[in-house]
Amino acid sequence: PSLEVKPARVAGAAAAFECRAVQIIPVPGSSYTMVLGQVLRYHLQDGLLREDGTADPLQLHPVARLGGSEYAELGKIYHLARP
């Protein structure tokens, strides 16, 4: 049997992830829930992959959720060697 997953995706989204929920954690003292997932497959628009196989953040234009109704866009990018 095929294990292929074909979930709906947002038209025009630069990236989409197919995930499996690994852990669901209620956040104490709030009505929020944190979901940890494992990415099974990802989809990127053409032209977003660099030669090293990573997504180009300058072309991806990611948006981060901060808290409440606040969001952020990507700022300065710098490289830091891993130990």
Side-chain angles (χ1 to χ4, degrees), residues 33-82:
T33 303
M34 180 170 52
V35 179
L36 301 179
Q38 175 186 17
V39 176
L40 303 175
R41 182 175 289 177
Y42 63 90
H43 307 270
L44 293 175
Q45 284 181 349
D46 290 339
L48 289 179
L49 273 183
R50 296 188 284 200
E51 288 184 21
D52 66 359
T54 60
D56 184 346
L58 294 176
Q59 296 206 32
L60 187 57
H61 303 289
V63 175
R65 171 95 191 267
L66 298 175
S69 61
E70 297 180 325
Y71 293 81
E73 294 179 345
L74 190 61
K76 180 180 176 182
I77 297 175
Y78 59 93
H79 297 272
L80 183 62
R82 294 183 184 186

